[in-house]
Amino acid sequence: MSFDYESKISDCVKQVPPSAIRRFFDLASEMKGRVISLSIGEPDFVTPWDIREAGIDSLVDGYTHYSPNSGYSKSKEAIAEYIKRRYGMTYDPNGQILITVGGSEGLDLAARALINPGDEVIIVEPCFVAYKATVMFAHGVPVTVSTKPENSYKLMPEELEAAITDKTKYIILGYPSNPTGAVMTLEDLAKIKDVLLKHPDIIVLSDELYGELNYIDGKPVSLAQFSEIADRVIVINGFSKAFAMTGFRIGYLLGPKELIAPMNKIHQYCIMCSPSMAQYAIVEASLNGDAHVEEMRKEYNRRRRVILKGLEDAGLECFEPFGAFYAFPSIKSTGLSSQEFCERFLMEKGVAIVPGNAFGDCGEGFVRISYAASMENIQEAMRRLAEFTSELKAGKD
Ligand SMILES: Cc1ncc(COP(=O)(O)O)c(C=O)c1O
């Protein structure tokens, strides 16, 4: 007799579909060796050496223990100094900063600390796959707003206004965007701020993980720079993307003490603290990492141009992304669905990219191409893309 595992799993977990990105990683890894992957959402760079060395030194010196729950003071002070330097914002290391296990933990903590069953959370799609899932795991109701290429995938103030109800608890904003590469400038964010001023009860969770990877002027911006609403903005940030530190599993939350404290309560019981070695490494990253970030940003920008040119040569329309390391071209002209396009491109040409509908229904008809890959691989993948689209076209004619 076999045990009925299925009936033991919570309904809440069952209702969340498995991530569609996974399927492509699995398919691509089966084809190992022959595949160029432009599917991955993490830097191909190795963490800069001095940052790694700071982590190694902490191990050599025997700092292998739990840290205080919210993080070592030294690490929080370094983050406060980084945020002041790069954004001009002031956060008190004692209560307004919580060091987390990546930006991912921040998303989860906010959902669990804020949501009562049935509360609505506005999610701006297409978006990072965890936004909807973390809300659903916390018994919240995701209310999606679809952004459009003709608006450069920015959230339009009237779209936000239309999605707000008396059940709205918070909004998740993720700019620069994964998967579209869209950026919202301070002027764009000011319009969102104006909507929020009309709705004084609503909190914003602003995911700014890709903030440094901005190809307009390289200056990160934050919704929390607007002092009129800063008291209800929770910023999620971290080191994974800009500092190429995904494996360190470290990020942080910034916000008013009254919101950080309940999130720290969950963190304290469920996680305890983020890895101490990583906390040492980010002191170096925060205080001395600017030149490394700038070097990587410039290289991403070079690759971004090559990708955009490659898409044009392949006859695929793409709105110009100015942030993160993704392009989100339309594949509608091919007549294939996003899934079909990605599967065939992988099987026939050995290049892995991600179907746009993995990031929300409005992503159907699009694909996400990551340029966190070597220039050589990007160039070869673009050559194969042009070949693929011309073969598709010839097949249709
Ligand atoms: C928009 C966005 N936010 C948050 C995360 C999570 O990052 P971390 O690795 O710091 O947990 C990711 C990772 O892909 C992301 O793309």
Side-chain angles (χ1 to χ4, degrees), residues 41-42 100-107 127-131 174-179 207-210 236-241 245-247 249-252 325-326 368:
E42 70 170 334
T100 54
V101 179
S104 303
E105 192 204 347
L107 287 166
C127 67
F128 178 44
V129 292
Y131 292 171
Y175 288 95
S177 160
N178 171 9
D207 178 346
E208 299 173 5
L209 245 91
Y210 291 94
I236 298 191
N237 209 332
F239 298 85
S240 298
K241 313 293 175 171
M245 294 179 70
T246 45
R249 306 311 303 131
I250 192 154
Y252 53 92
F325 36 60
Y326 307 106
R368 187 191 76 174

Side-chain angles (χ1 to χ4, degrees), residues 64-72 98-102 105 248-251 264 266-279:
T64 57
H65 303 280
Y66 293 132
S67 77
N69 296 123
S70 64
Y72 287 117
L98 171 59
I99 300 185
T100 54
V101 179
E105 192 204 347
F248 282 77
R249 306 311 303 131
I250 192 154
N264 193 23
I266 302 172
H267 172 79
Q268 183 182 345
Y269 283 116
C270 300
I271 302 289
M272 200 96 96
C273 63
S274 65
S276 53
M277 184 272 287
Q279 291 194 50

Side-chain angles (χ1 to χ4, degrees), residues 36-261:
I36 295 177
S37 176
L38 303 186
S39 63
I40 205 100
E42 70 170 334
D44 56 312
F45 298 107
V46 177
T47 312
W49 172 247
D50 57 325
I51 301 176
R52 279 186 277 159
E53 198 171 34
I56 294 168
D57 287 349
S58 76
L59 298 178
V60 171
D61 293 341
Y63 294 114
T64 57
H65 303 280
Y66 293 132
S67 77
N69 296 123
S70 64
Y72 287 117
S73 297
K74 196 172 147 165
S75 312
K76 290 187 290 179
E77 281 159 14
I79 291 170
E81 131 76 57
Y82 163 81
I83 291 292
K84 182 82 194 162
R85 189 175 74 245
R86 298 294 291 155
Y87 295 83
M89 304 190 298
T90 305
Y91 284 92
D92 181 357
N94 187 18
Q96 294 190 316
I97 301 179
L98 171 59
I99 300 185
T100 54
V101 179
S104 303
E105 192 204 347
L107 287 166
D108 181 42
L109 289 180
R112 289 200 279 158
L114 299 176
I115 294 173
N116 281 320
D119 282 348
E120 292 178 0
V121 177
I122 297 177
I123 292 177
V124 182
E125 285 187 336
C127 67
F128 178 44
V129 292
Y131 292 171
K132 217 170 180 172
T134 46
V135 167
M136 290 166 82
F137 287 142
H139 303 274
V141 179
V143 172
T144 54
V145 173
S146 303
T147 54
K148 302 173 188 69
E150 54 271 31
N151 295 330
S152 304
Y153 287 109
K154 294 174 186 198
L155 173 64
M156 296 287 112
E158 58 280 10
E159 293 170 342
L160 172 61
E161 185 79 65
I164 293 175
T165 73
D166 55 5
K167 293 204 184 108
T168 307
K169 182 58 88 54
Y170 67 96
I171 298 161
I172 310 182
L173 263 195
Y175 288 95
S177 160
N178 171 9
T180 63
V183 166
M184 284 190 62
T185 62
L186 261 191
E187 295 72 53
D188 299 322
L189 291 174
K191 294 179 196 152
I192 300 303
K193 179 251 323 174
D194 289 341
V195 175
L196 291 165
L197 286 175
K198 289 193 253 165
H199 300 276
D201 287 341
I202 296 178
I203 290 170
V204 186
L205 189 56
S206 185
D207 178 346
E208 299 173 5
L209 245 91
Y210 291 94
E212 290 277 8
L213 302 180
N214 151 344
Y215 311 108
I216 301 172
D217 56 10
K219 263 186 89 138
V221 295
S222 173
L223 193 67
Q225 282 167 319
F226 297 99
S227 54
E228 309 98 294
I229 55 164
D231 63 349
R232 53 194 166 106
V233 176
I234 300 171
V235 173
I236 298 191
N237 209 332
F239 298 85
S240 298
K241 313 293 175 171
F243 294 84
M245 294 179 70
T246 45
F248 282 77
R249 306 311 303 131
I250 192 154
Y252 53 92
L253 289 165
L254 308 172
K257 290 185 178 167
E258 294 78 359
L259 295 178
I260 294 292

Side-chain angles (χ1 to χ4, degrees), residues 375-395:
M375 191 66 102
E376 194 190 348
N377 278 350
I378 290 172
Q379 281 165 338
E380 174 58 17
M382 290 299 107
R383 191 192 64 72
R384 294 188 202 175
L385 180 66
E387 215 174 70
F388 181 59
T389 53
S390 78
E391 284 167 17
L392 285 177
K393 200 155 176 274

Side-chain angles (χ1 to χ4, degrees), residues 313-376:
D313 292 347
L316 297 182
E317 237 176 70
C318 187
F319 112 98
E320 184 170 356
F322 283 104
F325 36 60
Y326 307 106
F328 202 65
S330 167
I331 47 93
K332 289 178 186 167
S333 60
T334 65
L336 299 179
S337 71
S338 298
Q339 292 281 339
E340 285 164 347
F341 187 94
C342 293
E343 271 187 40
R344 284 190 53 184
F345 191 33
L346 178 62
M347 296 304 182
E348 293 170 30
K349 299 291 170 190
V351 180
I353 56 173
V354 183
N357 59 334
F359 309 96
D361 292 343
C362 64
E364 178 52 49
F366 298 83
V367 293
R368 187 191 76 174
I369 304 184
S370 162
Y371 47 92
S374 70
M375 191 66 102
E376 194 190 348

